[in-house]
Amino acid sequence: MNQDATEQRVLGAVGERRELVNAAIDEDLPMAEPKRLYEAARYLLEAGGKRLRPTVTLLAAEAVSDVEPLSADYRAFPSLYDEPVDVMAAAVSLEVIQSFTLIHDDIMDDDDLRRGVPAVHKAYDTETAILAGDTLYSKAFEIMADTGAHAENGLEAVRMLASTCTRICEGQALDVQFETEGDIDPDQYLEMVEFKTAVLYGAAAATPAVLLGADDEVVEALYRYGIDSGSAFQIQDDVLDLTVPSDKLGKQRGSDLVEEKETLIALHARQQGVDVDGLVAATDPENVTDAEIEDAVAALEAAGSIDYARETARDLTEQAKSRLEILPDNEARSLLEDIADYLITRGY
Amino acid sequence: MNQDATEQRVLGAVGERRELVNAAIDEDLPMAEPKRLYEAARYLLEAGGKRLRPTVTLLAAEAVSDVEPLSADYRAFPSLYDEPVDVMAAAVSLEVIQSFTLIHDDIMDDDDLRRGVPAVHKAYDTETAILAGDTLYSKAFEIMADTGAHAENGLEAVRMLASTCTRICEGQALDVQFETEGDIDPDQYLEMVEFKTAVLYGAAAATPAVLLGADDEVVEALYRYGIDSGSAFQIQDDVLDLTVPSDKLGKQRGSDLVEEKETLIALHARQQGVDVDGLVAATDPENVTDAEIEDAVAALEAAGSIDYARETARDLTEQAKSRLEILPDNEARSLLEDIADYLITRGY
């Protein structure tokens, strides 16, 4: 695998769809009254984002239906039934859900910045941010219920969306619980990551298969593809936090260590007898020295913990790609494989 | 109309269904992991509530299908199709949505008490309360998507639930906006009340008709019944705040005036030239005297503003009842009429 070529293909596929996705978001979530509410609700969606998840949805539709990428209308995509399906609406719905979770997460974590702009509860206020998130939540269901799919499939897509949202809430609650409890094992950590982050990738990959009327095994395979690659993505995030220089990372390198965040790396190191909480004395990322981080990373390297995380991410990625073997061997499927690779080879 | 007899019939109908509704809530929203999250999510639902809205849903199912009240299984209700429909699940779903809105509203308004117990963000913390509300939100969609109704109808019920939630958010945002803007007219106020409060009554009444496959006109009539009677209910709340003694009301009489809340009464009085904001000098309900409230109420009576609100509520109630004429003349319909009356004749 040539890493640069993979990255180029992925960024190309994302780039070719980004304007379509952005236009669809604008169509499906138009400005409305009360103005301040809808401005706050659209704020983060307008602030950008790669649109990787919507690209997964659109490619999954093309892979399942075995059509040439970008050859069919995403708003009226050919299904196994008479009805054409608006698979773009599904992509928008999931991106809207993602935006809702970011807004509420930023309130809960009291994070000031998101995507380089003030978080919604900072740009507006907490009340408006709660309400903007709640509005996106219902809008996502309105949009998902309106794809024109065969009703059985439309209803199943709504069910998947609802259970995905429940899982995300459970994952966020587990994350908070783990921070206070400690004493969790890697399997519990992986479940938390699956719930909090990966299920949305699972839904992004599987929903078009549901809407288009694919077999249950195809739906399940795409869902697991998303879970596996989304989990790998999150684990890679933990690796990058320790291994990428601060200026490239856009935040202090090693801030997870400073904040004593439970990561797969920390859990592994603790199992190896490393005093993880004692590795860095500073309690604020602004006060930590590069030398302190270097020493901490060296200790984690020596314990094999960073390699363990890398290998876990790599295994999950291989598993993700193997899930796709049930699909026809086509260009869209190949791009989905590339995306799985990209999620753990991206530099930051 | 005999007011006491009406009240007795309504409280009887509610009482006969309350245990069924409570058991169904427990079944459809069971305790789960993470425990703290689900405890917080179930907290207000367990704290009580009359279950008037679920009763409307169950009666509407019986009125539409023209079956004797309590003669059919709410979990497997006869529909126009082969599939029996779990209309109880629809009632639970809407009660779960109501609970979500209460939790988030209490955070936004920083209210400490709800139903005689601490608000969820006080009993737990704000982060848990946001997340508990978000969990109820998705659970409500899971429950509504699982009624066993014909898929077209199931999907339509989900659409109605989603647009109802959007409206509630818009109504809450309008309410906040009105508090700061002032200068609104009664029509704008009524729209806010419709969005914030009455749409949930509309959905409670109309959803069973959707699920059971009733004609569009029946769905629309029940929806408008709920909107009209729900709006009347909210306006009556404003009247009661001024006319019921504090000990019966459970809070300081006239607290809306003290807090300078925009109500239909205040808007009407201002149009009549009354200096509404100057009626009560106190800015905290704890510091206001009964004499001050008496004088303020006398001024509002003199301006005809309290009568105006009473008449508006009464007109809306009559309109609500007339909407039901499209239904067969049966016991359940008669109870729905009684509920509309009860919503504006209840003492507090």
Side-chain angles (χ1 to χ4, degrees), chain A residues 38 104 134 137 142 166 170, chain B residues 38 104 134 137 142 166 170:
Chain A
Y38 279 93
H104 280 195
D134 290 345
Y137 212 153
E142 287 189 51
T166 301
E170 291 171 350
Chain B
Y38 279 93
H104 280 194
D134 291 345
Y137 212 152
E142 287 188 52
T166 301
E170 290 170 352

Side-chain angles (χ1 to χ4, degrees), chain B residues 16-300:
Chain B
E16 285 171 329
R17 287 161 181 82
R18 188 178 298 120
E19 288 313 306
L20 292 171
V21 170
N22 288 346
I25 290 173
D26 210 48
E27 282 164 26
D28 291 352
L29 189 76
M31 260 309 293
E33 295 289 336
K35 210 165 148 238
R36 188 177 153 86
L37 174 66
Y38 279 93
E39 276 176 1
R42 289 162 46 103
Y43 175 83
L44 273 189
L45 284 159
E46 287 179 347
K50 239 191 227 99
R51 312 299 185 208
L52 196 58
R53 227 173 287 95
T55 301
V56 167
T57 299
L58 300 174
L59 286 171
E62 292 167 330
V64 165
S65 299
D66 202 16
V67 307
E68 192 68 25
L70 294 168
S71 69
D73 181 357
Y74 290 131
R75 290 294 203 182
F77 207 81
S79 77
L80 295 179
Y81 300 83
D82 287 341
E83 303 95 337
V85 171
D86 185 351
V87 293
M88 179 62 90
V92 170
S93 171
L94 291 163
E95 198 71 352
V96 166
I97 284 291
Q98 160 77 353
S99 199
F100 135 68
T101 65
L102 296 179
I103 294 173
H104 280 194
D105 279 2
D106 285 344
I107 302 171
M108 292 187 259
D109 301 341
D110 201 18
D111 283 334
D112 294 355
L113 286 175
R114 170 69 68 177
R115 290 182 176 158
V117 297
V120 175
H121 69 290
K122 294 293 176 189
Y124 295 81
D125 51 68
T126 300
E127 293 68 35
T128 304
I130 292 175
L131 211 47
D134 291 345
T135 305
L136 291 174
Y137 212 152
S138 53
K139 279 284 167 188
F141 279 93
E142 287 188 52
I143 295 165
M144 188 64 90
D146 219 19
T147 62
H150 193 69
E152 296 277 3
N153 301 327
L155 197 55
E156 185 59 29
V158 165
R159 270 192 211 107
M160 183 175 278
L161 181 65
S163 63
T164 298
C165 293
T166 301
R167 278 280 182 269
I168 292 170
C169 292
E170 290 170 352
Q172 172 74 7
L174 283 174
D175 197 8
V176 172
Q177 184 183 316
F178 291 172
E179 293 303 319
T180 55
E181 270 183 13
D183 196 29
I184 54 164
D185 62 38
D187 282 349
Q188 290 174 292
Y189 177 80
L190 287 172
E191 187 185 69
M192 184 274 286
V193 166
E194 173 173 330
F195 284 16
K196 190 178 166 176
T197 306
V199 287
L200 203 55
Y201 279 91
T207 300
V210 170
L211 289 171
L212 297 169
D215 291 342
D216 287 350
E217 302 80 59
V218 171
V219 171
E220 176 67 17
L222 279 162
Y223 187 73
R224 296 308 319 178
Y225 157 82
I227 294 284
D228 292 339
S229 52
S231 297
F233 166 83
Q234 187 59 50
I235 293 165
Q236 178 67 7
D237 242 21
D238 301 342
V239 172
L240 294 177
D241 179 76
L242 293 173
T243 54
V244 174
S246 302
D247 56 336
K248 269 189 94 177
L249 204 58
K251 59 172 187 174
Q252 173 61 52
R253 174 181 168 203
S255 57
D256 287 353
L257 281 175
V258 179
E259 290 162 6
E260 298 190 358
K261 230 185 104 184
E262 293 301 331
T263 65
L264 194 60
I265 297 164
L267 294 173
H268 179 272
R270 202 170 290 129
Q271 282 187 336
Q272 304 303 308
V274 177
D275 173 20
V276 177
D277 298 337
L279 280 178
V280 174
T283 55
D284 186 322
E286 292 188 7
N287 300 329
V288 75
T289 64
D290 282 348
E292 225 180 343
I293 298 290
E294 292 288 353
D295 288 350
V297 170
L300 294 170

Side-chain angles (χ1 to χ4, degrees), chain A residues 4-76:
Chain A
D4 284 351
T6 303
E7 179 163 340
Q8 272 188 9
R9 279 196 302 276
V10 169
L11 296 183
V14 171
E16 284 172 331
R17 288 160 181 82
R18 188 177 298 120
E19 287 314 305
L20 291 171
V21 170
N22 288 346
I25 291 172
D26 210 49
E27 283 165 25
D28 291 352
L29 189 77
M31 261 309 294
E33 295 289 337
K35 211 166 147 238
R36 188 178 154 86
L37 174 65
Y38 279 93
E39 277 176 359
R42 289 163 46 102
Y43 174 83
L44 273 190
L45 284 160
E46 286 179 349
K50 240 191 224 100
R51 312 301 184 207
L52 196 58
R53 227 173 287 93
T55 300
V56 167
T57 300
L58 301 174
L59 286 172
E62 292 167 330
V64 165
S65 298
D66 202 14
V67 307
E68 192 68 25
L70 295 167
S71 68
D73 181 357
Y74 290 131
R75 289 295 204 182

Side-chain angles (χ1 to χ4, degrees), chain A residues 150-168:
Chain A
H150 192 70
E152 295 278 3
N153 301 327
L155 197 54
E156 186 57 30
V158 166
R159 271 192 211 108
M160 183 176 278
L161 182 65
S163 62
T164 298
C165 293
T166 301
R167 279 280 181 269
I168 293 171

Side-chain angles (χ1 to χ4, degrees), chain A residues 302-320:
Chain A
S305 304
I306 297 180
D307 279 342
Y308 168 74
R310 277 203 187 96
E311 273 159 37
T312 305
R314 208 173 298 135
D315 289 349
L316 282 165
T317 300
E318 289 310 311
Q319 195 168 282

